[in-house]
Amino acid sequence: MALSGIQIYKMLPQTNCKECGFPTCLAFSMKLAAKQVELGDCPYVTDESKQQLAESSAPPIRLITLKGKDAEVAVGNEVVLFRHEKKFVNRPGVLIRVADTDEKETITAKVEAATAYIVDYVGLDLKLDGFAVEAASGDAATFTAAVDAVRKSSNLPLILVGNDPAVIEAGLTVLDGEKPLIMGANAENWEAMADLAKKAETALGVEAGTLEELAELTEKIQGKGVEDMVLHPTGQGMSSSLALQTQIRRLALKNFRPLGYPTIAFAGSGGNPAKEATLAAHSICKYAGFVVLDTFSPELVYSVLVLRENIFTDPQKPIQVLPAIYEINDPKPDDPVLVTTNFSITYFSVANEVEGSGLPAWLVVADAEGMSVLTAWAAGKFDAESIAKAVKQFGVGDKVSKKVIVLPGHVAVLSGELEEELPDWEIRVGPREAVDLPGYMKSALT
Amino acid sequence: MSIEIPKDKWPGAVQTVTLGATAEQGGTRTKVVTIGGEQTLPFMHFESETPNRPVIAMEMSSSRPGGWSQVLQDTWGDVLDDPAKWAQACEQAGAELIVLMFGLTDADDNPITPDFAVQTVKAVLEATGLPLVVLGPGQVDIDNAILVPIADATKGERLVLGLCEEGNYRTIVAAAMANDHLVLGRTPMDVNLAKQLNILMTDMGLPRDRIIMDPTTGALGYGIEYGYSVMERLRLAALQGDAMTQLPLMVNPGFESWKTKESKVGEGVPDAWGDWAERGVHWETVTAVSLIEAGADVVVLRHPDSLTRVKESIDELMAAEPV
Ligand code: B12
Ligand code: SF4
């Protein structure tokens, strides 16, 4: 946890020499606490204070970045328990697991499909973050071949999973200039694993069933010079994983350094994708830094990636699009004008429908402060006045010859007032749901 | 190394509420459902016992619902045309509670009448031994016109009647008070609005153990994060001792998720959306499990497979093994 100005002041020379550019050491420490100046601006800080201050300014949960060949994934740096307090920072990495005992063709097919996977959600391209390769065979050559097969089919970051340091080390030979996560270090193998992580400059996953064991391990491993760790609390079942994940997050936020690392959760459970969806949802909501699935299926991955996006949006700032007039499918002057709000989910529900139908339209997106149609209407941000304003501001009248405007069905009540605001336009009420727009456009607007 | 586990000690607790009444208790239910009573955040068994598990309710309608996803229609088949059979099917699927929704019209497209409504409720009560939540179509005059006679005709059953909203709670609360029923209050995703409605309803003399609140939610991809956070905040407020937030939470992941395009539409959607039926069930289960993590005491679902999967999650989350 960050130190207060007063706490920092106690570590300064307290001579008020002004060399930092501030009249007093106290003034400087206040600025430092607010992160507006650098510690280096005071030439007289002792080495001991420097170290203490650096430690205290480190984030409570270490930022861990895994690097593949051309992509990386960063997790950690979280500062709260609840998303309403101050937004969750780094989306958990979602990875797919393969075992080295799988057929090579199976691995390749799965990895290629998962790497190519991309799905549009409100204009964002959602993708997977990498793969976990499991040394299930226990054999170095088999494992190396599997890692090689994965690497040949994907450039995404990797996690190498196995408890035999020699096997993991063999797998690492395939990866050049990358930063994978290797796991896991446990009470038996931690020393060799730590040496390997140190030598290969990888992050190290640490496994144990209790917080005490985890903390002891991370301290010993840190003593060996490994800084980047990921915790794998190995409790059985959702209840125990929830307890451990919550306790780790709470302790980390209280600046308990031995547990100040992101965590990993394995949601795969013997090829039961039904259960994976629920376990992944559980892990995303409650504090996992990495979530590893066994199954790659588009419908599973889509729902998991959307949940991640939702839980990690900034609660203060709805995802929005720019208020403007959007041209869909090359509209001509006699094509219809549709109105909606600038909440991303709303805009894309409408835009995607119209686009998919192939029918041309002008879509006027009014500034509704990023709210959905009904929310904005209820909040007074999407009314006849604001719609008329948008129509005028974006010069819609100059673009079209047929002055017909279609309102969302949910705000049919606005049509009277809008007629008054835009007397030379014909106001029509469209369907309530965007899915029904293409049908409506075909039947009622042509 | 010994670690002191940070444990929250909360001054407040969620109200315990029992739905349904057996013959001994003045009703006809063979099972009752008790929810609430939490003294900690969801499933923090290391802090305090979670006395009652979250409950899965299945949603059904007074007649074949218009606009339900084809996936759901195919799954349920003909029972959708018969409320009694549908209720039985819900019970067989493992529902612990049934939510009966009235539409504005009956199967022949005639406006529903109080008589039809009462008969339907009676048929459902006869068909199943589970406790029942009865919701009007959401238009104040019609809700009042059907809920009052339903309340009268089922005195003592401890049904849950709804929806009570700020504009229409009086009649429903009065009918519930007169006949030993409960009410469901709904407010649009806001801690203060939820509190406000609870104050209004308790001010009428309705005891707190007869109120459930629906703080509204959105589906996965369609605003779930707002519902999620409002529920977390309501639960925190309850545990901190704010009496007017200490009521069990009931939310509708079924309704919300099955109206999304992901669940409703099978053709002409991106390949990246995958298998339609399975996607619909994932959409519902992911929404439901997330809301359970946020504090839901009742989740109302629509698909029987979702029920099985969510139930499995609840089983696991309730397993209070030592950690
Ligand atoms: C999420 C949400 C919120 C979020 C806001 C999210 C956001 N950025 O907008 C929060 C929590 C902040 C919120 C706040 C409020 N909310 Co609110 N909220 C919702 C909720 C749950 C979902 C809204 C949503 O995102 N829908 C998804 C989007 C995509 O829907 P949409 O914009 O309507 O678009 C669809 C259609 O309209 C159509 N469409 C869109 N554009 C067009 C254009 C054309 C031409 C056509 C044909 C169709 C079309 O296509 C889309 C897909 O089908 C709804 C209830 C519900 N489950 O629907 C309540 C709801 C909208 N909220 C409501 C209310 C009252 C409020 C508040 C006033 C209450 C309060 N808390 O004080 C505030 C107002 C905000 C403020 N003062 O700051 C009420 C509105 C009641 C009413 N009928 O007037 C609702 C309906 C809840 C309810 N049942 O009471 N809300
Ligand atoms: S330079 Fe250092 S010692 Fe001098 S006033 Fe600034 S903080 Fe104090």
Side-chain angles (χ1 to χ4, degrees):
Chain A
M1 212 172 355
L3 295 178
S4 70
I6 302 292
Q7 285 168 318
I8 294 174
Y9 173 69
K10 292 188 184 142
M11 288 184 228
L12 292 178
Q14 304 175 13
T15 54
N16 301 336
C17 78
K18 303 187 177 55
E19 275 180 52
C20 56
F22 291 90
T24 60
C25 294
L26 184 61
F28 180 71
S29 37
M30 291 300 172
K31 288 285 170 190
L32 199 58
K35 296 199 164 63
Q36 289 164 344
V37 293
E38 296 286 327
L39 182 59
D41 293 353
C42 167
Y44 305 110
V45 190
T46 62
D47 284 348
E48 191 193 339
S49 298
K50 265 186 201 153
Q51 198 191 338
Q52 260 184 312
L53 284 164
E55 271 171 25
S56 77
S57 65
I61 297 174
R62 191 173 171 85
L63 183 73
I64 302 291
T65 306
L66 305 189
K67 296 193 176 83
K69 259 170 99 172
D70 67 3
E72 45 181 75
V73 51
V75 306
N77 260 3
E78 300 302 329
V79 289
V80 292
L81 278 168
F82 303 101
R83 61 182 293 284
H84 63 261
E85 295 176 287
K86 184 175 186 267
K87 137 177 176 65
F88 291 164
V89 190
N90 283 305
R91 288 164 180 68
V94 178
L95 302 91
I96 305 283
R97 177 159 67 175
V98 295
D100 67 352
T101 44
D102 296 342
E103 295 293 330
K104 185 165 173 260
E105 297 75 57
T106 317
I107 296 181
T108 305
K110 190 170 171 184
V111 170
E112 278 176 0
T115 302
Y117 185 81
I118 175 165
V119 63
D120 171 88
Y121 168 66
V122 298
L124 305 166
D125 286 336
L126 306 186
K127 298 177 198 161
L128 289 160
D129 296 298
F131 298 91
V133 192
E134 173 134 21
S137 68
D139 175 63
T142 311
F143 183 58
T144 309
V147 177
D148 189 52
V150 173
R151 190 34 93 227
K152 288 217 165 77
S153 314
S154 175
N155 288 332
L156 296 176
L158 298 186
I159 302 179
L160 305 192
V161 185
N163 293 127
D164 182 345
V167 173
I168 299 290
E169 184 163 21
L172 281 172
T173 56
V174 178
L175 310 177
D176 193 21
E178 303 184 20
K179 181 167 178 183
L181 167 66
I182 62 170
M183 60 187 303
N186 56 34
E188 281 81 52
N189 70 1
W190 69 269
E191 204 155 4
M193 284 299 257
D195 288 339
L196 179 57
K198 173 93 179 144
K199 190 172 88 185
E201 294 178 27
T202 69
L204 179 58
V206 182
E207 304 178 338
T210 67
L211 299 184
E212 283 81 5
E213 290 170 276
L214 270 177
E216 266 164 36
L217 280 171
T218 60
E219 291 216 305
K220 287 195 280 197
I221 291 167
Q222 202 198 23
K224 284 250 168 191
V226 175
E227 300 289 344
D228 285 343
M229 283 180 260
V230 171
L231 308 176
H232 180 210
T234 54
Q236 289 299 306
M238 287 168 85
S239 153
S240 128
S241 95
L242 178 64
L244 290 168
Q245 292 277 4
T246 306
Q247 291 164 355
I248 289 172
R249 173 68 68 96
R250 285 185 187 171
L251 283 159
L253 296 186
K254 288 183 189 293
N255 239 19
F256 181 66
R257 293 290 175 193
L259 295 177
Y261 303 95
T263 60
I264 187 166
F266 289 86
S269 55
N272 180 355
K275 203 157 177 190
E276 271 179 80
T278 54
L279 283 173
H282 163 78
S283 304
I284 286 171
C285 291
K286 294 295 169 186
Y287 312 139
F290 294 101
V291 178
V292 183
L293 305 171
D294 278 6
T295 307
F296 170 75
S297 77
E299 63 276 7
L300 169 68
V301 170
Y302 182 30
S303 56
V304 169
L305 294 181
V306 171
L307 181 69
R308 173 177 77 170
E309 208 52 43
N310 290 165
I311 296 294
F312 280 73
T313 51
D314 185 340
Q316 259 43 296
K317 252 197 343 245
I319 29 172
Q320 313 186 14
V321 294
L322 204 66
I325 179 158
Y326 290 81
E327 302 181 9
I328 303 188
N329 297 330
D330 262 329
K332 306 280 173 309
D334 59 348
D335 286 320
V337 178
L338 314 174
V339 206
T340 192
T341 73
N342 67 326
F343 183 33
S344 279
I345 303 178
T346 302
Y347 167 81
F348 282 102
S349 325
V350 177
N352 288 345
E353 282 311 329
V354 179
E355 209 174 291
S357 73
L359 301 168
W362 305 89
L363 182 56
V364 174
V365 175
D367 185 354
E369 296 181 12
M371 285 186 246
S372 81
V373 168
L374 274 180
T375 310
W377 176 75
K381 306 290 181 197
F382 187 58
D383 52 16
E385 205 179 316
S386 60
I387 296 172
K389 193 173 142 209
V391 168
K392 287 172 192 154
Q393 184 188 346
F394 305 138
V396 184
D398 303 334
K399 297 189 199 288
V400 300
S401 54
K402 223 166 91 185
K403 296 204 160 178
V404 175
I405 284 192
V406 182
L407 283 177
H410 281 299
V411 289
V413 288
L414 291 179
S415 53
E417 284 166 49
L418 192 57
E419 269 163 15
E420 281 169 32
E421 294 274 347
L422 296 172
D424 43 348
W425 288 79
E426 181 190 339
I427 314 297
R428 300 232 192 129
V429 176
R432 288 167 162 252
E433 301 302 331
V435 217
D436 302 320
L437 244 176
Y440 169 82
M441 288 169 72
K442 272 181 211 135
S443 61
L445 290 184
T446 46
Chain B
M1 181 186 305
S2 90
I3 296 177
E4 198 189 324
I5 307 241
K7 290 189 186 174
D8 287 329
K9 193 128 186 55
W10 301 101
V14 179
Q15 174 71 47
T16 302
V17 173
T18 297
L19 292 67
T22 60
E24 279 150 48
Q25 297 159 336
T28 62
R29 306 298 75 212
T30 53
K31 294 183 190 121
V32 300
V33 159
T34 300
I35 54 174
E38 297 94 333
Q39 295 172 34
T40 59
L41 289 168
F43 316 108
M44 295 291 112
H45 305 301
F46 60 96
E47 290 177 343
S48 143
E49 190 192 340
T50 299
N52 298 297
R53 42 183 284 145
V55 162
I56 303 180
M58 283 307 250
E59 176 190 336
M60 53 162 296
S61 308
S62 53
S63 55
R64 179 177 281 267
W68 268 37
S69 168
Q70 195 59 44
V71 172
L72 290 169
Q73 298 196 39
D74 292 347
T75 304
W76 288 107
D78 290 342
V79 303
L80 298 191
D81 295 311
D82 183 337
K85 287 200 184 126
W86 193 352
Q88 274 165 351
C90 291
E91 185 166 5
Q92 268 154 26
E96 294 154 275
L97 182 68
I98 287 181
V99 175
L100 169 61
M101 305 265 292
F102 278 92
L104 284 166
T105 52
D106 64 16
D108 304 320
D109 261 353
N110 299 315
I112 56 166
T113 60
D115 192 42
F116 164 80
V118 170
Q119 292 318 319
T120 307
V121 169
K122 284 195 166 159
V124 170
L125 284 173
E126 247 160 61
T128 160
L130 298 179
L132 187 63
V133 179
V134 180
L135 305 180
Q139 286 196 7
V140 177
D141 43 342
I142 302 176
D143 285 6
N144 290 348
I146 68 163
L147 289 171
V148 174
I150 289 172
D152 290 341
T154 56
K155 189 174 171 71
E157 289 282 13
R158 287 183 77 90
L159 303 186
V160 182
L161 304 173
L163 287 167
C164 289
E165 295 181 277
E166 203 183 327
N168 78 335
Y169 67 95
R170 287 172 190 282
T171 314
I172 302 176
V173 169
M177 283 169 61
N179 297 289
D180 290 329
H181 296 308
L182 286 64
V183 300
L184 178 64
R186 178 179 292 172
T187 44
M189 290 211 191
D190 184 277
V191 173
N192 290 319
L193 292 178
K195 267 180 80 164
Q196 180 63 24
L197 181 63
N198 293 334
I199 292 171
L200 292 172
M201 295 196 297
T202 45
D203 276 355
M204 282 183 68
L206 183 66
R208 279 200 328 168
D209 68 355
R210 305 234 314 254
I211 304 176
I212 299 173
M213 56 178 171
D214 174 356
T216 331
T217 188
L220 175 63
Y222 297 83
I224 188 178
E225 65 273 31
Y226 295 97
Y228 181 91
S229 285
V230 167
M231 285 169 68
E232 286 200 326
R233 289 172 53 208
L234 276 168
R235 188 45 49 88
L236 284 166
L239 296 174
Q240 278 152 6
D242 181 344
M244 283 301 133
T245 56
Q246 290 171 336
L247 302 165
L249 297 162
M250 170 161 153
V251 280
N252 293 278
F255 167 80
E256 295 294 343
S257 68
W258 285 101
K259 78 177 182 197
T260 67
K261 180 168 183 180
E262 278 78 357
S263 305
K264 264 184 122 164
V265 182
E267 271 163 42
V269 300
D271 289 343
W273 285 19
D275 181 77
W276 180 21
E278 192 59 16
R279 176 174 74 239
V281 174
H282 280 326
W283 224 255
E284 186 173 32
T285 49
V286 166
T287 305
V289 168
S290 305
L291 297 176
I292 288 171
E293 304 275 354
D297 295 280
V298 181
V299 287
V300 189
L301 303 180
R302 284 187 172 177
H303 197 294
D305 289 350
S306 306
L307 183 149
T308 315
R309 298 178 190 184
V310 174
K311 200 170 231 175
E312 237 179 276
S313 295
I314 296 174
D315 289 344
E316 279 199 30
L317 286 165
M318 284 301 290
E321 70 226 295
V323 280

